[in-house]
Structure formats: C-alpha cells, structure tokens
Amino acid sequence: MNDTTTPESSSRPENDMQQLLCDRLLDPTQPISERFRALFSLRNLKGPVPRNALVHATRDSSNLLAHEAAFALGQMQDTEAVPALEEVLSDLSLHPIVRHEAAEALGAIGLESNVPLLKDRLALDPAQEVRETCELALKRIEDVKTAGSALGLSMEEKSPFLSVDPAAPIAYSSVDKLREVLLDEEERMYERYAALFALRNHGGCEAVSAIIESLGSKSALLKHEVAYVLGQLQNKAACAALCNVLRDANENAMVRHEAAEALGSIAVHVGKPSDDQSVALLEEFAKDPEPIVSQSCEVALSMLEYERSGKSFEYLFQKAPLACNDF
Ligand SMILES: [Fe+2]
Ligand SMILES: [Fe+2]
C-alpha cells in the first residue's frame, strides 16, 4: 500500500474545514445564502464543534437562520443539544418561529424528560403555533415510547423523504379518508399531521390535490408543514397555490417562508421554462419587508442557481477537496 496518510494528517484538513464552516455560519457580514450553505453542510456532521456552532446560531439576529439551526439540531437527533433547545423554547425574547422549531426538535429527539417543559410551554407560550408544536411534540414522545415498548420498533427511522417527521403517518387508509382527517378543523393536530404525511407517502394526483387543499386551513402551523411537504414532493401542480401564499402579506411569515422554499425546490425539479413565474415571484419577494420572507426567497434563488449550474449548494458534497479560497 502506498497510502502513507496517518489518522492525524487525514483529520486535520477536515477539522480546518469544520472550523471554516462554523465561522461562515456565524459571520453576520456574509450573505444569508452563504450562511445557509454552511448550515446545510454542518448538519451532516457530528460532534461538539458543529453542534456548538448550530446552538450558537439559534441565537442569531436572523430569525430565519436561527430557526433553521434549531430545526437541524432536531433532525440530527443529538441528545447533547437538548439543554440548549430547552433554553431556546423557554426564551420569550426569541421569535415564535425559533421557539416553534426548538419544540419540534425536542419532539424529534424524543426524550421523556422533556415532557414537563413541553407541558409547561403548551400551557403558557403566548404564540399559538408554539403551543400547537408542543402538543405535537408531547404526542410524538408518547408514541416513541409506546412503539418502543409495545412493538420493539423504532419511530426514529426517517421517512422516505429522509426527514424526521413530527408525527408518524397514519397506517394506510383511503386517500378520501386521509383527506377528510387532514381538512377537519375539529380533529387533533397530531392526527391531521399524521394524515398529511400518509398522503405525502402515498403520492399521486388525488393525494397531492388534497394536500394543496389543506393550504386553506386555519392553523398557521399546519399550513407551514403543508408547504414544507409540497416542497418535498416537488410537484408543479402546487405552484399556483404556493404563489398565492407567498403573495399574501397577511399570512404568517412562517407559512410564507415555507411556501418560498417549496417554490424554489419545485423549480429545481421542474426546470425552465415552466417555473419562470415562481422564479419571478421569488425575485419580487426577495425585497419583502419581513426578513423571514425576503431571506427565504434569497436562499431559494441561490439554491436554484447552484443547481442550474450543476454545482452543489452544500460545500461538503463538492468533489474536489476544499481549499480555503473556495469559501
Ligand atoms: Fe417548522
Ligand atoms: Fe422552516
């Protein structure tokens, strides 16, 4: 063997790269899209350095970046991040979108020890979307426990879309029945989420149109998850409805944010020219007075540009070894 690489020499460039990614994530002078590129790369790594940088980012003055960092910590299911997420959830000086993502992350990590805090926030958080997320997280933790003890199964498995979902999909029932549950304003939020994920996993025109229909629901929390799911599905049938959500200045910023990102992800999939309208809209709303919305459009447009030029938005998937001047 000619390979003379020692463990030390192979880990050093890796550590340098991790550090560069952390610096980029936390540098407020960088464009938001560059900071997102760093975040999307760090979420694929493990260990204290990426974790601490992401924890730090949950306190960023960009609410968009802060909420994405909390979301990433939940998707990584790293129990070491729990104390920081508990603090974020309890800190009412933070934007509701950030507290929401912290609650969702605690649900995704699934520790029973978080039940008292989630119950407390369910009763006391002033924002409805945060209270509803606490309700979902509590039910998820209960389900993880039941599934683990009764069936010996793990709910920790990722969905076919590689996300750790806030609810397990309802075991198969007809698209009509699932649609009914999803659209029922009297139904519990967890059941509506479970129907949404079952429809997503089922796929097909009827399921997709039921999902699009649910963008007319009352709950901002449900609508933001619906928009996120439509982004996962990358079905262009959803474009018109998502455009309407993005245009609606009275809609909750969390919902408009997910609509913008979903439009970007559908545009990546569809390609020119059918997505021109979405791209024009993203360009228009990149100037929205609400930073959560304008920054979402900026990130979506940047991702689209990378995809179209055949490059990866995430640094870590670039083929050549990273040189410092790539940053
Ligand atoms: Fe969310
Ligand atoms: Fe989000």
Side-chain angles (χ1 to χ4, degrees), residues 209-283:
S209 51
I211 296 173
I212 294 170
E213 218 182 317
S214 68
L215 279 174
S217 301
K218 287 186 192 151
S219 160
L221 184 79
L222 180 67
K223 284 189 281 187
H224 106 293
E225 197 69 23
V226 167
Y228 174 78
V229 161
L230 289 170
Q232 289 185 312
L233 286 167
Q234 296 186 305
N235 188 317
K236 66 174 191 252
C239 282
L242 290 167
C243 285
N244 287 339
V245 172
L246 178 56
R247 278 193 201 102
D248 183 359
N250 295 320
E251 182 54 273
N252 186 310
M254 184 163 96
V255 186
R256 295 176 74 208
H257 140 68
E258 291 297 350
E261 303 226 325
L263 283 169
S265 116
I266 296 170
V268 166
H269 185 68
V270 171
K272 273 186 169 176
S274 45
D275 60 338
D276 277 356
Q277 197 207 353
S278 311
V279 174
L281 205 68
L282 289 171
E283 281 164 356

Side-chain angles (χ1 to χ4, degrees), residues 64 67-68 71 97 100-101 224 228 254 257-258 261:
L64 188 74
H67 105 291
E68 198 68 35
F71 177 71
I97 196 174
H100 143 73
E101 240 23 283
H224 106 293
Y228 174 78
M254 184 163 96
H257 140 68
E258 291 297 350
E261 303 226 325

Side-chain angles (χ1 to χ4, degrees), residues 55 58-59 73 80-89 102:
V55 163
T58 61
R59 303 274 169 174
L73 288 166
E80 300 285 327
V82 165
L85 290 167
E86 290 171 339
E87 279 177 36
V88 171
L89 173 57

